[in-house]
Amino acid sequence: MPKRVLFYARHSSDDRLCPCFDRQNYHAKRFIKEKGWKLVLTCRDEDIGDVVFTAQPGVHKLLEEVDHRSVDVVLCHTLDRLCSSLTVAARLLHDLKAQGIELWAADPGVQIKTKDLIDYYCTNPGKPLGDGRHLEAKPDDLYEVEHLVRLPYGYRYTGAYNADRQYVFGYKVLDPEAADVVLRIFQMYADGMSPAKIAAVLNMEGVPSPYSGTWRDATIRGDRSRRSGILNDEIYIGRSWVPGRDYYDYAPALRIVSDELWRRVKLRQGFSARRAAP
């Protein structure tokens, strides 16, 4: 019976620095075919910076499959496309080994063993498992909130206990005080107040801004076409974008703004854009 393979890829928008998803996928499928294995699942994340390992959707799915022992091999293109630090790699390898699951790198086509990790991350990062880029070892950051990707204003991270009674950070919840400010911003704008005036009111009242500075109209207004700025972030109506996908997941528990209030804001934005057009 062929080994069941879960392929994990981390996509990069800059193909000059690291291979894009298509290239990683191509090499992985070719390697799986050469080995006579069977690809049963592909997990994918976006390269969005320094983020807690378990907070990434693709990694979260990978760990679920590991817990269920539904695969025999976890395959990545190069080790750095899976784990960015020695401590993360060592912990993952320990968990895989406990479940009888192997970890392989399609380039250069080797099984990754614990003894290889020091050589890759600390001694000779160019060989045998990577492409020459060195990311220095950090403290174990699997469960530390300060390493998480910054959330939109109105939300905070919390954690939960897994089946092994380990407390895992990486879950997004409402921040009640900030959520009230978000709702107020939407209401003030829908009622006719400009982003600049809203920012002035919040600063006058001493309301903390998203980045601990002063409120600016650009923070509120943003860019509608890019979905930036508080007034354009669809997370506030419960649409949660998952890295690696081109669509939104619905997360009703994260909703702050009603559909009616969102519609009023969009109508006013559209009217303002038409009025500003030549």
Side-chain angles (χ1 to χ4, degrees):
M1 182 177 178
K3 291 183 177 181
R4 301 163 299 171
V5 179
L6 182 153
F7 171 57
Y8 178 87
R10 185 182 309 282
H11 175 71
S12 173
S13 58
D14 192 342
D15 197 24
R16 298 168 299 174
L17 298 178
C18 31
C20 65
F21 171 76
D22 290 337
R23 285 176 57 196
Q24 295 177 58
N25 192 45
Y26 170 80
H27 289 294
K29 287 185 174 179
R30 187 173 66 174
F31 180 69
I32 291 170
K33 184 176 180 180
E34 291 173 354
K35 301 292 288 186
W37 295 341
K38 180 181 179 181
L39 178 64
V40 295
L41 183 64
T42 297
C43 296
R44 172 180 173 180
D45 285 315
E46 291 293 311
D47 203 349
I48 53 177
D50 198 11
V51 58
V52 165
F53 188 62
T54 54
Q56 301 166 100
V59 170
H60 186 73
K61 179 62 176 174
L62 182 155
L63 295 177
E64 282 185 350
E65 299 302 318
V66 169
D67 285 341
H68 296 153
R69 299 186 182 181
S70 59
V71 297
D72 305 301
V73 173
V74 170
L75 176 69
C76 55
H77 179 237
T78 55
L79 185 57
D80 63 287
R81 290 290 85 198
L82 175 59
C83 301
S84 62
S85 73
L86 170 63
T87 51
V88 171
R91 186 161 189 163
L92 175 62
L93 198 54
H94 175 272
D95 292 344
L96 293 177
K97 186 177 180 180
Q99 299 284 31
I101 299 172
E102 300 172 357
L103 178 60
W104 285 72
D107 181 9
V110 296
Q111 183 178 355
I112 300 171
K113 302 290 185 65
T114 304
K115 63 181 178 62
D116 299 318
L117 298 181
I118 294 294
D119 184 51
Y120 171 64
Y121 286 103
C122 301
T123 307
N124 187 6
K127 295 181 181 298
L129 305 176
D131 58 1
R133 291 179 296 108
H134 178 54
L135 296 173
E136 66 181 35
K138 298 179 297 186
D140 186 354
D141 58 1
L142 279 172
Y143 305 116
E144 295 183 12
V145 70
E146 61 265 25
H147 292 286
L148 289 163
V149 166
R150 188 190 297 274
L151 288 177
Y153 183 74
Y155 303 93
R156 62 179 176 84
Y157 280 114
T158 187
Y161 288 95
N162 64 14
D164 297 325
R165 303 306 298 166
Q166 294 172 309
Y167 191 69
V168 182
F169 275 111
Y171 298 97
K172 187 168 22 179
V173 296
L174 291 177
D175 181 338
E177 292 184 4
D180 288 344
V181 175
V182 169
L183 182 58
R184 187 179 171 201
I185 288 171
F186 273 82
Q187 290 172 334
M188 287 191 290
Y189 182 81
D191 291 340
M193 192 175 291
S194 70
K197 179 62 176 177
I198 295 171
V201 169
L202 296 177
N203 286 328
M204 182 178 63
E205 296 177 357
V207 176
S209 74
Y211 305 111
S212 301
T214 58
W215 283 92
R216 301 173 56 198
D217 63 332
T219 304
I220 297 170
R221 178 187 297 108
D223 187 321
R224 188 178 181 184
S225 64
R226 297 180 180 178
R227 296 190 176 96
S228 65
I230 288 178
L231 293 175
N232 303 304
D233 196 332
E234 297 184 17
I235 187 63
Y236 297 129
I237 53 172
R239 292 180 180 176
S240 180
W241 181 74
V242 178
R245 303 180 187 175
D246 56 1
Y247 58 89
Y248 286 88
D249 280 349
Y250 282 91
L254 299 180
R255 176 188 283 273
I256 296 175
V257 176
S258 68
D259 288 334
E260 172 61 21
L261 181 55
W262 178 268
R263 186 185 66 83
R264 288 175 59 200
V265 166
K266 297 300 112 177
L267 285 174
R268 186 177 172 212
Q269 284 179 324
F271 175 76
S272 297
R274 289 192 299 272
R275 188 172 59 180

